[in-house]
Amino acid sequence: MAILIGDTAPDFTLESTEGPIHFHDYIDGSWAVLFSHPKNFTPVCTTELGFTAKLKPEFDKRGVKVLGLSVDKLEDHGGWAKDIEETQGTALNFPLLADTKGEVARLYDMIHPNADNTLTVRSVFVIGPDKKVKLKIEYPASTGRNFNEVLRVIDSLQLTAKHQVATPVNWESGEDVIIVPAVSNEAAKAKYPEGWKELKPYLRIVPQPRD
Ligand code: BEZ
C-alpha cells in the first residue's frame, strides 16, 4: 500500500555511512527528510547530494535531520563521497543508507517498476516530529530536484503546524499568509487585532505570524 500524507512513516533498521539507523529512533522528536537517489557515481545524483550537504546548516536551523538512501552497497558510498566532495565542494555530512536488498525502497514505493525495475526514483519524504508523513515528492531519474523547494515546504509545514494559517502560491518565508477558513472572523479578530486584508470571505490575508 502506498504511503500517503498523514500516514505514520514506516520504521526500519538499515546500515548507513554513519552506522546502523533505526529510523524512528533517529527521528527522535525532530523533523526528518528521507530521500532516495537512483544510483551512486551518476551525474545528477552527485550534484543533488553535494547541494544537500551544502544546505545542512539550513536544515539544522529548522531542526531537520536528513537521511539519504540508495540501493548501492555501503562500500561504494565511501568512494562516491570523495567524488561528491571533490566535484561539488562539500563533503557528505548526513547519513547515506545502503539499501542493497531494496527493502526500504519497496516499503516506501521508491522503486517504480515501469520506470526502472531495480533503481529508485528521486523520492522525498518530509516527516514530522510525530513521525507522520507531511510531504512526498517524486521526480524521475533524469531531473535533479530543487532542494531549496524542500526547505521552502518545510518552512510552510513548520509555520502551519504552529498557527492556523496556510501559505499561498509561491510563498516564501516572511511573506503574507492566509487565515484558514476554519477560523471564524471572531477568532481571527482575537488573534490578529490589527485586522487582515479580506479579498473574499474565504480569502483573508495577514502578515506571517512571527513567534
Ligand atoms: C543521474 O544521477 O545522473 C542518473 C542516475 C540514474 C539514471 C539516470 C541518471
Side-chain angles (χ1 to χ4, degrees):
M1 265 240 303
I3 299 167
L4 304 176
I5 289 174
D7 291 353
T8 298
D11 199 13
F12 59 82
T13 298
L14 206 57
E15 270 309 322
S16 85
T17 48
E18 297 186 18
I21 299 273
H22 309 287
F23 190 46
H24 281 189
D25 294 344
Y26 179 77
I27 295 173
D28 189 29
S30 294
W31 289 76
V33 171
L34 171 66
F35 74 101
S36 60
H37 65 271
K39 200 164 174 48
N40 292 2
F41 299 104
T42 53
V44 177
C45 297
T46 302
T47 62
E48 282 192 331
L49 269 79
F51 191 73
T52 306
K54 238 173 235 142
L55 287 184
K56 176 84 162 38
E58 293 300 322
F59 286 113
D60 287 348
K61 216 160 59 186
R62 292 160 175 83
V64 180
K65 294 178 176 174
V66 176
L67 190 53
L69 176 146
S70 86
V71 292
D72 285 308
K73 294 196 222 88
L74 194 58
E75 306 88 270
D76 292 344
H77 286 355
W80 186 41
K82 285 196 194 109
D83 288 0
I84 293 170
E85 183 170 10
E86 183 189 323
T87 62
Q88 308 302 307
T90 312
L92 270 192
N93 48 21
F94 53 86
L96 191 51
L97 296 162
D99 186 21
T100 43
K101 293 188 185 142
E103 287 166 344
V104 175
R106 278 192 295 278
L107 188 62
Y108 276 80
D109 269 332
M110 291 165 167
I111 295 175
H112 296 193
N114 291 325
D116 189 296
N117 218 6
T118 51
L119 303 183
T120 52
V121 295
R122 300 185 192 281
S123 297
V124 182
F125 289 86
V126 175
I127 293 146
D130 57 0
K131 302 188 180 73
K132 303 271 187 215
V133 172
K134 307 294 181 187
L135 169 82
K136 59 186 273 198
I137 309 177
E138 285 162 353
Y139 274 47
S142 52
T143 305
R145 288 157 287 195
N146 183 341
F147 280 84
N148 288 320
E149 168 65 1
V150 176
L151 281 179
R152 189 191 75 87
V153 180
I154 289 169
D155 284 341
S156 170
L157 288 168
Q158 293 187 338
L159 182 73
T160 58
K162 218 160 157 195
H163 301 278
Q164 287 178 297
V165 297
T167 59
V169 62
N170 296 338
W171 175 86
E172 296 282 349
S173 183
E175 294 179 356
D176 289 352
V177 301
I178 291 166
I179 303 170
V180 293
V183 175
S184 68
N185 278 348
E186 281 62 45
K189 260 179 223 146
K191 191 153 171 53
Y192 306 105
E194 281 159 25
W196 55 86
K197 192 160 63 181
E198 186 162 311
L199 302 180
K200 290 282 176 192
Y202 59 82
L203 182 47
R204 297 167 295 172
I205 313 280
V206 280
Q208 175 178 327
R210 278 287 154 209
D211 60 338

